[in-house]
Amino acid sequence: MFSGPTMDHTYNTLFETFQVNGEDLKFYNCRNLSPEKYDRLPYSIRVLLESAVRNCDEFHVTKKDVETILDWNDIQLKETEISFKPSRVILQDFTGVPAVVDFAAMRDAVKRLGGDPMKVNPICPADLVVDHSIQVDFSGRSDSLKKNQDLEFERNKERFKFLKWGASTLRNMIIVPPGSGIVHQVNLEYLARVVFTKDGVCFPDSVVGTDSHTTMINGLGIVGWGVGGIEAEAVMLGQTISMVLPQVIGYKISGKIGPYATSTDIVLTITKHLRSVGVVGKFVEFFGPGVEELSVADRATISNMCPEYGATVGFFALDRIGVDYLRQTNRDPERIAVIEAYLKAAGLFRNYSNDCEDPVYSQVVELDLETVVSSVSGPKRPQDRVPVNKMKGDFAECLTNKVGFKGFGLPSDKLNTQVPFIYDNKEYVLRHGSTVIAAITSCTNTSNPSVMLGAGLLAKKAVEAGLSVNPYVKTSLSPGSGVVTYYLEESGVVPALNQLGFGIVGYGCMTCIGNSGPLPDVIVEAIEKGDLVCCSVLSGNRNFEGRVHPNTRANYLASPLLVVAYALAGRVDIDFKTEPLGYNPEGKPIFLADIWPLRSEIHEVERKHVIPAMFQEVYEKIQKGNHQWNSLEVVESDLYPWEASSTYIQKPPFFDDMTKEIPPVKPIVNAKVLLMLGDSVTTDHISPAGSISRTSPAARFLQLKGVVPRDFNSYGARRGNDAIMTRGTFANVRLVNKLVSNPGPKTLHIPSGKVMDVFDAAEAYKADNIPLIVIAGKDYGCGSSRDWAAKGPHLLVSLHFRDFFLFYFLF
C-alpha cells in the first residue's frame, strides 16, 4: 500500500499541503494536471485518477494509466485498459475463509522454500465479517436468536476456530466475529474510512470486496465493487486490478419523495429503469438536486442493488449530508474534519444543488422522485418491478403466462386449487399466492432506519387495530447490525414486531442469501400436494427462483413495511385499496391505508431515537465477539496447525510443488474432453455454493469421514476444504453438458462410454494418466463467486497434469 512519495516520484509536482486542526497534511492535487479536464471528469473517475497518480511506479501503474484516465472524456468509448489499486479489501466468510486458507498455505510454502513466513500478510487493510453462516432454523419464538446462534456455532466451529487463528496472526486484517451483523452494513456504519491518512498523506478510501453488493459503500462516497476471491487476494498482496476505463452514466434525480413512498420503492424503480437503459460494465453516478432529499442510508440502499441494475458502481459523491451521517454514526470528530477538508481540497466534495459542479457524463438519464410509487419486484427477478396497486392482476397473469421470468404456465383448471391443512390444531388453507415466508432481511434495507422504523410503526398500528399474522407464515427479522436492535427498542416498536412474529432471529444475511431455514412439514406437503405457487416476501436484493426457498416459486422483493403488510394479508394477490388486511375483534375491516405511517412520522421517530451513542455502544465491542467466540481455543502459531480430520479446513495443494524457478509450459497431448458446455456458464454452474446433494461425490466423501447428512452444511461453508470443493466442481443440477442428454452434474467417460459424476470421470481419466480439457462457450465464468470457479476446475482437471493447459474456449 502507498507509503508516501519518494524524491523521484513521477508526480511530485502535484504534492500540496493543507491544514486541519493545526496539523499539516499532504495530498496529490490531481486538478493541477489539467484543471479543464479534471473539472469535466465524473467524481468516481477522479478517484481512479488519484489512485493512479499516487501509485504510479511505472511497473504496477504507469504514467500512461494516468494520462488515459485524465483523458476519460475522449477515451471512454475505446475500451482502454487501466490499472487500479484499491485502498483496501473487504470479505465475507464464505469467500473470506478460502482467502485466509490461501494465506496460511502461502506461509507454509515460503517456510519450505527457506523464507520468512511472517512476511506473508495482507499489504493493504483487509476486513472480514462473518455473516453468511447463520440461518433461520427457528423463528416466531422468544429464544429464536439464541437457538439459531447456537446452531451456527455447532455447524461452523471448525471454520470459526480457523478464522480466530487468522485474526490473531495476520497483520492488516480485522476479523469481525459472527453475531455482529452483515458485512456491508458494518462497512457502512463502522469500517469505512472515507479518507485514509498514511505518513501524513491523505487519499480517498476505495475498496473491492468478495461480494457483489460491496457497492453499497458507494452511498458514502467510496468507490468500490465486488470481485472474485483470487482478485481480492491479489489486491491484498499488493497487486493492481486490471479494468477497462468505464463509461459513466449520469443519473439525475429531482423532485421530492411522496409521503407514502420508501427508499425501497425508489431503488426498485431505479433498478428497472437502469436495466432498460443498459449499464452493464459501466459506472453510474447520481447527481441533481433530488439527491439532497435522500439520506446516506437511502443512497446506500440504491447503491446496494447496483448488481441488480447491472452497473459496476452506483456512486454518490460525499456532501454535507454524508458528513452529518459520519457524525450520527459516531465517527471521530477530528477524522471527520480531515475527511471534509481533504475532499474539498481535492475536488471530491459535492454540492448537489449547484449544477455548476456537474461533470460531463457519457449519457444522462433522469428520475423525478415524485413519480415513485409503492412497489415490489418479482416473482423471479429484481428488475421486474410491479406497482403495488397492480400486484393482484400481475400475479394472476403470471400464473397463466408461459413458463419464464413472468410466468408459471398453470392450466386454467388448476388456478383455484386449494389445499387444507392442520397447523397447531387449527385448519388453514393454502392456495396460489399464499404468503409462507415474510422476512425483514438484508443489508439493502436493514441499514436504513427509515424503513425499519416504518415497519415497526406499521406493526404497532396493526396490533393496536387488532390484526395478527397466521402462525404458519414463517416471519423473521435479521438486522444487519446491533444498532438496529437499539433504535427499535428505544422507539417502542419491538413488542408489536414480536407479537406479529417478527422477532430477531439473528444478525446476518439469512433469508436474503437463501438461509431461510426449513418450512413446517405440513406446509411443504400442502404446497407439493397442490403444486401451488406459494410466495415469499422479503426485503432483500435477489429473488431468483429457488434462491429463497425451494418451495416458494414466487418471491417478491419489498420494503420492510410491505413485508409486514403481506404477512398480515397472508397472500400477495390482494388489492390493498379495496380489500382489507383483516378485521378487528369488532368485525371492522382494517385497510393498509389505516395503519401506514407517513414518511414525516417515520423521520420524527428516527430523529429522536437514532443517535451516535448507539453506534458507540455497538461498535466499541464489535471485535470482542460473544461468549461462544471467546470460548474458542486456538493455538498461537505463525503457521496454521492443519488437522487431518477436519472436513472444513484443509491445506490446499496449490503451492505443494512450487519452486523458485518458473517451470516451462508444455503442450497438451492426447487430451480428452471432460465437459462440452454452451454459452453463459456462470460461476454458480461451475462451483455452486448451495446445499450438498446426498447423492453427490462430496456427500460420499463426507459420509466416509463420519459426517451425517444433516451436518453436510453447504458448499459455500466448506470452501476451506479443497477435497470437497473439487468434488463440488460442476455439481450444479442445472448444468447443461452436451456430452450427456439430461442437465445435471454428469458427463460421459469417453473410453468406457459410461455416464458418471463429473468428479468420478475425472478420477477415472487420472487413473489412466489421460489429460483433460473443458470446451466452453461465450461468457464462461460470468458471475461474482469466481475464486472456486477457477480453483475447482484447476484441481479437477490438472491436479495430476500440472504441465497442461486447462481450457479451450470455443467462441
Side-chain angles (χ1 to χ4, degrees):
M1 188 178 173
F2 174 76
S3 58
T6 58
M7 293 296 293
D8 59 348
H9 192 281
T10 307
Y11 293 101
N12 267 341
T13 57
L14 302 181
F15 220 44
E16 291 188 3
T17 300
F18 69 106
Q19 195 172 79
V20 182
N21 298 325
E23 180 184 7
D24 287 337
L25 296 169
K26 298 182 179 181
F27 75 107
Y28 284 95
N29 190 345
C30 298
R31 190 172 185 272
N32 290 340
L33 287 168
S34 171
E36 182 181 358
K37 289 182 178 180
Y38 187 83
D39 292 344
R40 290 163 59 86
L41 289 178
Y43 284 72
S44 52
I45 298 298
R46 297 179 194 184
V47 175
L48 300 185
L49 177 63
E50 190 283 337
S51 176
V53 166
R54 176 169 38 88
N55 292 294
C56 184
D57 58 3
E58 294 299 341
F59 179 65
H60 290 110
V61 182
T62 66
K63 189 175 180 180
K64 183 180 178 182
D65 290 317
V66 173
E67 293 169 349
T68 297
I69 300 170
L70 183 64
D71 289 334
W72 172 86
N73 196 51
D74 298 324
I75 292 177
Q76 57 172 301
L77 299 178
K78 297 181 180 179
E79 297 192 349
T80 306
E81 201 168 273
I82 62 168
S83 294
F84 172 57
K85 183 173 281 192
S87 303
R88 62 187 174 98
V89 173
I90 194 162
L91 313 99
Q92 38 90 339
D93 55 306
F94 269 20
T95 49
V97 165
V100 179
V101 166
D102 286 348
F103 270 84
M106 280 188 275
R107 282 191 173 183
D108 285 353
V110 169
K111 174 77 171 177
R112 178 174 57 81
L113 294 171
D116 179 5
M118 287 307 291
K119 289 184 177 180
V120 179
N121 289 289
I123 293 174
C124 71
D127 307 316
L128 190 157
V129 180
V130 182
D131 65 357
H132 272 50
S133 303
I134 190 167
Q135 73 176 41
V136 192
D137 290 284
F138 296 90
S139 63
R141 43 191 289 175
S142 60
D143 61 350
S144 294
L145 173 61
K146 182 181 184 305
K147 293 184 79 66
N148 288 330
Q149 288 182 333
D150 287 347
L151 268 177
E152 177 189 21
F153 268 82
E154 181 183 323
R155 291 172 176 144
N156 296 280
K157 186 176 181 179
E158 290 181 46
R159 298 171 69 241
F160 293 167
K161 285 178 66 176
F162 174 70
L163 287 175
K164 193 170 182 180
W165 169 84
S168 69
T169 188
L170 291 174
R171 294 193 295 269
N172 269 337
M173 175 171 271
I174 294 173
I175 294 182
V176 178
S180 302
I182 302 174
V183 57
H184 307 305
Q185 186 165 342
V186 174
N187 191 20
L188 185 72
E189 295 176 352
Y190 174 67
L191 294 171
R193 282 72 158 180
V194 187
V195 169
F196 277 90
T197 301
K198 186 174 177 64
D199 298 330
V201 179
C202 292
F203 53 94
D205 186 359
S206 58
V207 62
V208 290
T210 56
D211 188 280
S212 58
H213 294 98
T214 298
T215 53
M216 183 170 179
I217 204 61
N218 300 163
L220 191 57
I222 298 170
V223 170
W225 63 86
V227 296
I230 294 174
E231 294 164 285
E233 288 181 41
V235 173
M236 291 163 71
L237 291 168
Q239 303 299 302
T240 58
I241 284 179
S242 181
M243 60 181 289
V244 172
L245 187 66
Q247 296 179 50
V248 182
I249 307 299
Y251 199 96
K252 187 174 184 179
I253 298 177
S254 61
K256 295 183 180 294
I257 306 170
Y260 298 103
T262 69
S263 59
T264 315
D265 302 321
I266 296 170
V267 72
L268 296 181
T269 301
I270 289 173
T271 298
K272 182 174 183 177
H273 186 193
L274 285 176
R275 271 289 174 184
S276 66
V277 170
V279 294
V280 173
K282 302 174 184 178
F283 283 12
V284 172
E285 188 167 300
F286 296 91
F287 74 108
V291 174
E292 294 191 343
E293 294 294 311
L294 305 174
S295 67
V296 166
D298 293 335
R299 300 172 191 182
T301 297
I302 294 167
S303 297
N304 179 283
M305 287 192 70
C306 183
E308 282 65 52
Y309 46 82
T312 303
V313 302
F315 185 73
F316 292 85
L318 199 77
D319 66 344
R320 60 174 180 80
I321 293 173
V323 173
D324 290 342
Y325 178 82
L326 295 175
R327 295 190 183 101
Q328 182 189 47
T329 51
N330 197 51
R331 263 56 174 223
D332 177 41
E334 292 187 3
R335 284 302 307 160
I336 295 174
V338 170
I339 290 167
E340 185 171 6
Y342 165 71
L343 292 178
K344 287 179 176 177
L348 297 170
F349 196 83
R350 193 75 162 92
N351 178 357
Y352 287 102
S353 296
N354 182 4
D355 59 9
C356 292
E357 294 184 5
D358 292 350
V360 174
Y361 294 111
S362 309
Q363 177 186 353
V364 172
V365 293
E366 300 188 33
L367 173 69
D368 183 347
L369 292 175
E370 293 178 10
T371 64
V372 175
V373 298
S374 292
S375 303
V376 299
S377 281
K380 301 180 185 182
R381 296 190 304 180
Q383 64 262 40
D384 293 328
R385 185 181 69 88
V386 184
V388 168
N389 61 8
K390 296 182 179 179
M391 179 62 174
K392 183 172 184 175
D394 188 84
F395 182 78
E397 290 176 5
C398 286
L399 289 178
T400 56
N401 287 346
K402 67 179 182 179
V403 175
F405 294 126
K406 293 288 288 184
F408 297 99
L410 295 186
S412 57
D413 62 337
K414 299 292 185 182
L415 294 179
N416 297 315
T417 301
Q418 297 187 13
V419 180
F421 65 98
I422 304 296
Y423 187 85
D424 281 350
N425 299 316
K426 185 176 179 180
E427 184 173 276
Y428 299 92
V429 174
L430 282 186
R431 58 185 184 81
H432 301 303
S434 292
T435 304
V436 294
I437 292 176
I440 300 175
T441 180
S442 175
C443 54
T444 308
N445 284 289
T446 69
S447 62
N448 195 324
S450 66
V451 291
M452 295 300 289
L453 287 168
L457 291 172
L458 190 145
K460 186 177 181 183
K461 292 183 178 187
V463 170
E464 290 169 350
L467 298 180
S468 62
V469 175
N470 285 328
Y472 63 82
V473 178
K474 187 167 188 176
T475 48
S476 61
L477 167 59
S478 51
S481 84
V483 174
V484 179
T485 305
Y486 269 80
Y487 66 66
L488 290 178
E489 289 176 344
E490 289 297 316
S491 61
V493 299
V494 167
L497 286 167
N498 286 338
Q499 188 168 332
L500 296 183
F502 289 97
I504 292 175
V505 296
Y507 296 92
C509 300
M510 303 191 86
T511 301
C512 184
I513 60 165
N515 287 358
S516 55
L519 287 171
D521 290 343
V522 291
I523 300 296
V524 173
E525 290 166 4
I527 292 172
E528 292 178 348
K529 180 179 180 181
D531 192 25
L532 298 176
V533 181
C534 287
C535 308
S536 75
V537 184
L538 66 154
S539 60
N541 47 47
R542 287 184 178 164
N543 56 338
F544 307 127
E545 191 171 13
R547 176 183 175 92
V548 177
H549 193 281
N551 293 110
T552 57
R553 293 166 65 186
N555 304 279
Y556 288 93
L557 306 181
S559 69
L561 293 87
L562 286 173
V563 171
V564 175
Y566 282 112
L568 290 164
R571 57 193 176 98
V572 300
D573 56 341
I574 180 173
D575 183 343
F576 285 127
K577 187 174 181 179
T578 61
E579 298 177 77
L581 288 170
Y583 298 83
N584 69 8
E586 290 74 41
K588 177 186 175 182
I590 306 297
F591 291 85
L592 182 57
D594 298 330
I595 61 172
W596 190 272
L598 295 177
R599 190 171 175 85
S600 57
E601 180 184 355
I602 296 168
H603 282 177
E604 179 60 23
V605 175
E606 180 180 354
R607 185 187 64 80
K608 289 181 180 178
H609 297 293
V610 184
I611 57 176
M614 293 178 177
F615 294 88
Q616 179 181 359
E617 174 71 19
V618 168
Y619 286 112
E620 68 182 4
K621 58 186 179 184
I622 192 167
Q623 293 181 52
K624 297 177 182 177
N626 57 25
H627 168 72
Q628 290 162 306
W629 175 264
N630 293 328
S631 65
L632 293 175
E633 295 183 2
V634 296
V635 176
E636 293 186 10
S637 171
D638 296 340
L639 301 177
Y640 184 68
W642 308 97
E643 299 177 13
S645 61
S646 174
T647 58
Y648 278 96
I649 306 296
Q650 286 295 324
K651 180 182 174 182
F654 307 124
F655 309 105
D656 286 353
D657 298 333
M658 189 174 74
T659 61
K660 292 182 180 180
E661 297 76 30
I662 300 175
V665 177
K666 297 181 180 180
I668 305 171
V669 179
N670 296 325
K672 298 294 185 184
V673 177
L674 179 65
L675 295 159
M676 187 170 181
L677 308 174
D679 294 341
S680 300
V681 176
T682 70
T683 55
D684 285 336
H685 289 107
I686 303 164
S687 184
S691 59
I692 297 172
S693 167
R694 296 189 180 196
T695 60
S696 66
R700 296 196 294 272
F701 174 83
L702 287 169
Q703 287 175 317
L704 286 173
K705 295 288 185 179
V707 180
V708 296
R710 71 169 183 273
D711 294 329
F712 281 175
N713 214 323
S714 65
Y715 285 113
R718 292 190 180 273
R719 282 177 173 164
N721 188 336
D722 63 278
I724 292 173
M725 297 308 295
T726 305
R727 287 165 171 80
T729 300
F730 298 114
N732 192 303
V733 296
R734 293 181 176 86
L735 182 75
V736 177
N737 173 18
K738 296 179 181 180
L739 297 183
V740 294
S741 56
N742 296 319
K746 302 285 186 179
T747 195
L748 176 70
H749 179 247
I750 295 171
S752 68
K754 294 180 179 178
V755 173
M756 57 183 71
D757 289 314
V758 174
F759 175 80
D760 293 340
E763 288 289 285
Y765 283 119
K766 179 190 76 174
D768 293 333
N769 204 37
I770 299 174
L772 298 168
I773 63 170
V774 172
I775 298 176
K778 185 171 62 176
D779 294 331
Y780 173 88
C782 55
S784 58
S785 297
R786 295 189 288 272
D787 54 346
W788 270 106
K791 294 173 181 175
H794 171 74
L795 295 180
L796 186 70
V797 177
S798 69
L799 182 58
H800 297 276
F801 308 104
R802 295 186 185 280
D803 295 329
F804 293 109
F805 187 72
L806 299 182
F807 295 94
Y808 170 71
F809 295 98
L810 180 64
F811 293 102

